[in-house]
Amino acid sequence: MARKIRVFIEKTPHVVKVSALDELLLFKDKEDYKLFLSLLLVLSKQYNLHIHSYLLMPKYFLILATPKEVDSISKFIQTIGRKYVAYYNKKYSRRGSLFNGRYKLSIVEANRYLFDVMVYIESLPSRAKEYQYSSIGKNFYNRKDDIVSFHELYKKLGSNRSEQIDRYQKIFSLTLTKEKREFITSCIKKQSIIGTKGYIKDLEQKLGASLIAKKRGRPPKIKREKRKTMYKKLVLLDKNLHKDLKIKPMQDLEFAKDLAFIPILASEVKSVGKIFPIVFTNDENPRLVAIVSLGGSSLALNDEFKWISEYVPMYLRSYPFSISNAKVDDETTTKVILIDEDSHLVSATEGEALFDEDGNNTETLNRAMEFLKSYDEQMSITNSVAKEIKNSAILEEREISVGEGEDKQVLVKGFSVVDREKLNGLSDEVLANWVRRGIITMIDGTIDSLANIQTLFNLYNAKNNG
């Protein structure tokens, strides 16, 4: 069975659970607990991991923590495992692993479930309010515990510690329902997100990957109208999971052969628009794209899967990597680097390494990350301009079709173009502003590029009649 891909998102709370092997206890005496607590304190500071709640039980430990960096949790667990297992094995004259497989990890929707998870963790012991080895002393009683870092939502419980303690005690006294406790338990066991469906859907859109566990069995048929992507298995890049991966040189663009639309930057309109029509998608937040197909395979690639013009869009050159926004809360997002694990460019034996023997980024990876950063910054500007153009109400929906009446066949739809008359009807103030910012030049480029719809038909005919 393939390992579950972990998704780490900095500045977002995560629940981490580590259990002992079936026949072992993680903690046998007070010395074990104290040593482990000291490791929690030192390593959480070292790896910039803010622990909000924790619980040490004889057979397992749980923490609720916010990583400030993407690899904070993985580094923390790796180091604490190495140090504590070394201590444990020496003390009890044993060898081998102590933990039962890999740790379990679940993202937490803070605004909805932070306090539920805190109460869940701190109320697990039979005499929870008297338990020594948990964060309840700090969160519930305000006892000294340097391990605990208060989450922003906890701080907002009151303007001072007295108010925060009083309100948290009231939250704690409202016993979790059976349904909610079972939900959290199930999420931790399955390593699924502790959050609402809306939060999960939004996070999936940000990461570009499914985060909901699928039932086993035959996968459902994919609808034909579903927009195709060049990525096969886009996952978060992880220095531990991907420590041995290498990237082979890009020899061709076969991975893009099924794309009908190619995302385009505003700065690329002139270059790409020389051959392909540049349009706006009909999404709520429109994107600038080049149409490169009339319903079949891409017309932008020749028989050797090379781009047919000199300039190749940055979107394609970023492959097999991608960069995405991950929502932290209602006001904050963070950047994550993704990689297509199933790409033919990814290998364990050939190409340039992504990480060196010490787990540090290689120059190859640093160059890729700088490229992605530049692309993301430019795409953010492009998307903002596209949204501004849509809000000005100058876009008109269009389609590419052949035939008339009953013989009409729509080849491409779902896009809009700028209507010249509506553009000219904008106020002088808006037009002057757009001229200064270069938006008019970009719009003119998209309008001029529409002549290349005929180029698509020419390419189609040449490809199918050649």
Side-chain angles (χ1 to χ4, degrees), residues 7 35 45 85 125 171 196 213 225 250 271-272 317 338 357 379 402:
V7 178
L35 185 282
K45 307 301 181 186
V85 172
I171 292 173
T196 59
E225 66 268 22
M250 185 182 294
S271 298
V272 180
R317 286 183 277 142
L338 311 171
E357 294 180 355
M379 182 55 75
V402 292

Side-chain angles (χ1 to χ4, degrees), residues 227-295:
R227 187 173 293 173
K228 295 181 179 179
T229 174
M230 63 184 179
Y231 298 103
K232 297 178 182 178
K233 187 180 180 183
L234 199 59
V235 300
L236 200 70
L237 182 63
D238 184 281
K239 65 186 301 180
N240 294 312
L241 291 175
H242 304 130
K243 62 181 180 179
D244 297 324
L245 289 190
K246 296 178 172 61
I247 299 297
K248 295 185 288 186
M250 185 182 294
Q251 302 293 337
D252 57 54
L253 303 174
E254 185 174 4
F255 57 84
K257 66 180 181 179
D258 295 320
L259 297 184
F261 301 92
I262 304 291
I264 297 297
L265 301 173
S267 60
E268 297 178 312
V269 169
K270 182 177 180 181
S271 298
V272 180
K274 291 180 180 179
I275 297 181
F276 300 104
I278 309 297
V279 300
F280 299 82
T281 64
N282 286 344
D283 302 316
E284 179 64 24
N285 295 305
R287 294 183 301 156
L288 200 62
V289 297
I291 302 176
V292 296
S293 171
L294 291 176

Side-chain angles (χ1 to χ4, degrees), residues 232-234 319 339-346:
K232 297 178 182 178
K233 187 180 180 183
L234 199 59
Y319 189 79
I339 187 170
D340 185 355
E341 279 191 330
D342 287 351
S343 169
H344 69 289
L345 299 180
V346 176

Side-chain angles (χ1 to χ4, degrees), residues 10 44 104 111 129 155 181 199 227 261 265 295 334 338 344 349 369 372 386 388 409 419 443:
E10 68 265 33
S44 62
K104 295 186 179 297
N111 289 338
K129 294 181 181 180
K155 294 178 182 178
R181 187 174 292 276
Y199 176 81
R227 187 173 293 173
F261 301 92
L265 301 173
T334 186
L338 311 171
H344 69 289
T349 58
M369 292 176 68
L372 289 168
E388 186 175 349
Q409 180 181 0
D419 184 285
I443 289 176

